[in-house]
Amino acid sequence: MGELECKPADIPGFDSLWQSVSPKTDFAAMGCGTYRRMPGPVLPYVVDAVHRTLRDAGVSPSAVSHIVFATSDPTLARLPHDFAIRVIDAVGLIGCVPHLLSFQRCCSSQTALRHGRQLFADPGVHNVLVVALDFTPDDRDRVRDYALFSDGAASCVLTRGAPGLVRLVSSSIHVDKDGLRGHDSILSRKEVADKALTAVLAASGRRLEQITKVFTANLYQPLMLFNAAAAGLPPDRLHYAETLAAYGHCGNTDWMINLADYHEKSGIVAGQTYLAQAPAQGFHACTLLEGSA
């Protein structure tokens, strides 16, 4: 996370900005008290996240075959052209092939996770890194539809054979064509969420009531609770409120941050089913995970 802890009121003209993008909504209901800002380039944060991931997994940098970066559309335009090479050199990822997933807004990292898994079709691949990042240099740009953006980077490593914290069971992303053009509605958001959730459950052979916890996005709380209720998910299954209060919305890194936060506080349990989900304007992504720790 960015190390500078800031309050929404620190952003000049915050109240007006919020009402311009989320009219007739009370920001206090969002549940966000502070957000984090990176005062410098994003590279050191990504390198630190990757180092921590490899250390915790006991994986040598030289044993990583691929690194898949994921970011939302605005952040992509802010990255230097040689960003991937800088990360590879800083971490010592010898012989590692870089990939990039974007254009799916805050759902990009879940597609990156699925893409990383597909790379294991090559029998020579044993470890794949997935890195999600989002940051906003201008504080005024942090205020967006039903969200206050924070700066964060998160990573995970997919490993062949060895049991990790969780196992990827199934994943899905669906498109809300109205949302892509900024004309989404409660109905269109519900329809795309239903399609994504139905798809991951069908592919896994599991039922909605088997889901132990949901790692969702750190967005406007009334909206997230409505979406959960519409999908048949009890509010107490959602894990996001505390990270939302402290960090705000960290773009496509939210589900990773919330999973890590839950594991630290409660612990992922072997055999139990977990859902990572990411709603975004025009998309909804779901990933079903099984605890293997």
Side-chain angles (χ1 to χ4, degrees):
M1 310 301 304
E3 68 268 31
L4 296 184
E5 185 178 270
C6 309
K7 295 182 178 180
D10 295 335
I11 300 174
F14 174 78
D15 291 336
S16 297
L17 287 171
W18 175 257
Q19 286 302 315
S20 69
V21 294
S22 306
K24 299 180 181 179
T25 59
D26 178 15
F27 177 76
M30 181 171 172
C32 175
T34 56
Y35 67 91
R36 297 296 184 94
R37 186 165 74 84
M38 296 176 180
V42 70
L43 180 69
Y45 299 91
V46 171
V47 170
D48 182 55
V50 172
H51 273 310
R52 289 168 183 259
T53 292
L54 294 178
R55 179 198 64 200
D56 292 349
V59 174
S60 166
S62 61
V64 178
S65 302
H66 299 267
I67 182 168
V68 186
F69 295 96
T71 191
S72 56
D73 314 9
T75 301
L76 178 60
R78 302 181 184 117
L79 295 177
H81 72 278
D82 60 347
F83 179 76
I85 305 305
R86 293 186 192 181
V87 173
I88 286 172
D89 287 345
V91 179
L93 299 169
I94 302 168
C96 181
V97 179
H99 306 244
L100 174 67
L101 264 297
S102 190
F103 296 131
Q104 295 174 15
R105 299 177 181 171
C106 295
C107 297
S108 296
S109 60
Q110 294 207 26
T111 297
L113 191 70
R114 184 167 65 249
H115 175 67
R117 186 188 190 189
Q118 291 167 346
L119 293 170
F120 286 91
D122 178 350
V125 172
H126 294 278
N127 298 287
V128 174
L129 274 164
V130 175
V131 180
L133 65 146
D134 270 308
F135 63 97
T136 305
D138 188 336
D139 279 350
R140 293 169 299 179
D141 293 335
R142 297 183 185 280
V143 188
R144 306 186 207 171
D145 294 355
Y146 304 104
L148 177 61
F149 273 67
S150 196
D151 297 343
S155 62
C156 63
V157 63
L158 310 182
T159 299
R160 184 192 298 274
L165 181 64
V166 292
R167 181 176 67 88
L168 196 161
V169 178
S170 59
S171 61
S172 175
I173 182 168
H174 283 262
V175 175
D176 172 5
K177 57 181 176 56
D178 292 330
L180 283 177
R181 293 157 183 81
H183 304 306
D184 52 316
S185 63
I186 290 175
L187 179 60
S188 70
R189 287 194 294 268
K190 181 182 183 308
E191 286 180 348
V192 72
D194 285 346
K195 287 179 181 178
L197 181 57
T198 299
V200 293
L201 289 172
S204 68
R206 304 187 188 202
R207 302 183 307 278
L208 186 67
E209 56 268 25
Q210 290 179 280
I211 297 173
T212 299
K213 195 62 67 173
V214 180
F215 310 117
T216 190
N218 297 349
L219 299 172
Y220 188 61
Q221 282 212 60
L223 180 62
M224 300 310 296
L225 293 172
F226 173 84
N227 288 345
L233 292 165
D236 62 359
R237 302 255 183 108
L238 305 182
H239 186 81
Y240 77 107
E242 291 183 21
T243 53
L244 166 61
Y247 305 132
H249 178 42
C250 302
N252 83 141
T253 73
D254 274 357
W255 71 268
M256 281 196 202
I257 291 170
N258 293 339
L259 189 160
D261 182 74
Y262 177 80
H263 180 57
E264 181 180 348
K265 293 173 179 176
S266 302
I268 295 291
V269 177
Q272 293 195 3
T273 301
Y274 302 91
L275 177 71
Q277 67 173 15
Q281 191 174 49
F283 302 96
H284 196 100
C286 289
T287 301
L288 210 63
L289 305 164
E290 181 184 79
S292 56

